[in-house]
Amino acid sequence: MGAWVLHVDLDQFVAAVEVLRRPELAGLPVVVGGHGDPTERGVVSTASYEARELGVGSGMPLRIAARKAPDAVFLPVDKPAYEAASADVLAVLQTWPGGVVQVLGWDEAFVGLDADDPEAAARGIQAAVLETTRLHCSVGIGDTLIRAKVATGFAKPRGVFRLTEANWMSVMGERPTKELWGVGSRIAARLETLGVHTVAELAAAPEDVLVAEFGPKLGPWYGTLGRGEGDRDVDDTPWVARARSRETTFQEDLDEPAAVEAALRDLTAAVLGDVAEEGRPVIGLTLKVRYAPFDTKTHARKIAETADPDEVLAAVLGLAADRLDPDRAVRLLGLRADLKMPEDAREPRTPGRGGW
């Protein structure tokens, strides 16, 4: 028997849920985002494979998506429906014999298993998920969480792929660093300034060079990513949210300070409603602003631990007064409230930064 990490990732999850509810959409380009109206401001939450082939991707403004896929079906986000479907999938994974499940989000989870044939186990999980929920998934198999997560990219759609120490470099070595879990385009660009372009170069990069660029936690972590190493044990300790956040895209730019303040008050009230459900005090704030036409900035501040809504609101307004430009029109506002963590909370597996 061997210890394996399986990364189970539902294929085009949100779009797939919508197609289950509307079978006539099968095979069509489907885009889910905002209120489902591409003439409004908003971004793509997910797109079906057919829409992706036309150049539509998550995070893309809906108006651009409509230009790339003018015949696509646009649908509004229906969070309760996706949460219900996600719970059904999780129930299948949690009843898998011998499995230890670590939830990553709506549409993905790690499953730790002891198995002689991990591919057979992966196919069994795929079949069980499909039978119970009518949803397809891809499964990456690895000897670490990182390798399993990366392997899923090669498994999509509806497939199984194995990445281990034995084939990590032959598969990943010459690929660009941005194909690694946790390395986006900005980090990849910073790595390029160090002469690091590929996964193999990142794996071989001197730790002191990475520390000098990214700090004592993230520097070594990026080296670990390059080697595909890291944790091998799946942790089923319930996840406790580090923060609660919300953001609002305005259909018309806010160009008056009074309108911005009113929007901040509404946003803070919404976030505080979420915070109240957690029952823990706020210890930090991050304010996100997108100025017209599309210039995004974030501003963070630690605050004295408090559960008083009035104190949090005062801190938000103070941060805005100090950091927002009153002469620029505002397209979007977002607020993240960092929460005090319980002593027994699961530590994050990566030292990545919080916020947006």
Side-chain angles (χ1 to χ4, degrees):
M1 298 287 282
W4 296 98
V5 180
L6 277 57
H7 177 248
V8 180
D9 195 350
L10 292 161
D11 295 331
Q12 55 177 5
F13 171 58
V14 168
V17 172
E18 294 294 353
V19 171
L20 285 180
R21 299 199 292 180
R22 302 171 177 83
E24 68 274 12
L25 299 181
L28 299 178
V30 176
V31 179
V32 181
H35 297 107
D37 184 350
T39 67
E40 294 184 352
R41 288 179 175 175
V43 298
V44 176
S45 294
T46 195
S48 67
Y49 289 129
E50 293 80 6
R52 295 178 196 182
E53 290 176 356
L54 298 174
V56 179
S58 298
M60 177 182 292
L62 290 175
R63 291 178 180 177
I64 294 178
R67 290 201 293 268
K68 290 181 175 291
D71 296 326
V73 178
F74 285 81
L75 298 173
V77 174
D78 186 350
K79 183 178 178 181
Y82 314 141
E83 289 176 336
S86 177
D88 290 341
V89 174
L90 180 59
V92 174
L93 299 182
Q94 289 179 327
T95 57
W96 191 260
V100 178
V101 179
Q102 179 178 331
V103 178
L104 294 183
W106 270 351
D107 59 349
E108 58 177 329
F110 288 119
V111 180
L113 283 176
D114 285 332
D116 289 328
D117 188 345
E119 278 80 8
R123 294 294 184 189
I125 288 174
Q126 287 176 317
V129 170
L130 179 61
E131 180 180 5
T132 302
T133 70
R134 295 185 296 154
L135 294 169
H136 290 278
C137 62
S138 300
V139 182
I141 300 169
D143 50 2
T144 67
L145 274 67
I146 289 171
R147 291 178 183 137
K149 171 75 172 178
V150 175
T152 312
F154 296 96
K156 285 187 169 292
R158 305 183 184 184
V160 174
F161 193 86
R162 185 196 294 203
L163 263 180
T164 67
E165 183 179 8
N167 68 339
W168 174 256
M169 279 302 168
S170 63
V171 173
M172 294 297 299
E174 298 306 311
R175 293 180 178 272
T177 58
K178 67 180 181 180
E179 293 192 18
L180 290 169
W181 179 28
V183 177
S185 57
R186 290 183 181 180
I187 296 299
R190 290 174 65 181
L191 287 168
E192 289 180 0
T193 66
L194 304 177
V196 175
H197 301 84
T198 67
V199 173
E201 290 171 342
L202 178 57
E207 185 171 293
D208 60 340
V209 172
L210 296 175
V211 168
E213 176 66 23
F214 299 105
K217 289 186 177 181
L218 284 171
W221 170 246
Y222 288 128
T224 296
L225 283 179
R227 295 183 294 275
E229 297 173 349
D231 289 311
R232 296 174 180 268
D233 297 323
V234 175
D235 184 354
D236 61 356
T237 304
W239 178 254
V240 178
R242 262 75 183 156
R244 298 300 296 264
S245 64
R246 294 207 182 199
E247 64 180 44
T248 302
T249 298
F250 306 106
Q251 295 307 312
E252 296 184 4
D253 295 337
L254 306 183
D255 52 13
E256 295 292 336
V260 173
E261 179 177 330
L264 282 171
R265 288 179 177 274
D266 290 342
L267 184 61
T268 303
V271 172
L272 285 172
D274 297 336
V275 167
E277 296 178 3
E278 297 289 340
R280 290 176 282 137
V282 178
I283 59 174
L285 299 168
T286 302
L287 184 61
K288 175 181 178 180
V289 58
R290 179 167 296 147
Y291 297 109
F294 215 81
D295 180 20
T296 305
K297 298 182 180 297
T298 58
H299 309 287
R301 176 176 293 175
K302 297 293 184 182
I303 66 172
E305 178 182 319
T306 181
D308 186 331
D310 292 335
E311 291 182 3
V312 174
L313 175 60
V316 170
L317 296 178
L319 178 58
D322 291 342
R323 304 305 297 272
L324 297 191
D325 186 341
D327 297 322
R328 300 184 68 181
V330 172
R331 177 188 178 97
L332 173 149
L333 286 171
L335 178 65
R336 169 187 166 111
D338 294 310
L339 304 175
K340 183 178 180 180
M341 296 300 295
E343 292 183 0
D344 59 350
R346 184 211 305 168
E347 287 299 313
R349 290 302 185 100
T350 68
R353 300 177 181 88
W356 293 277

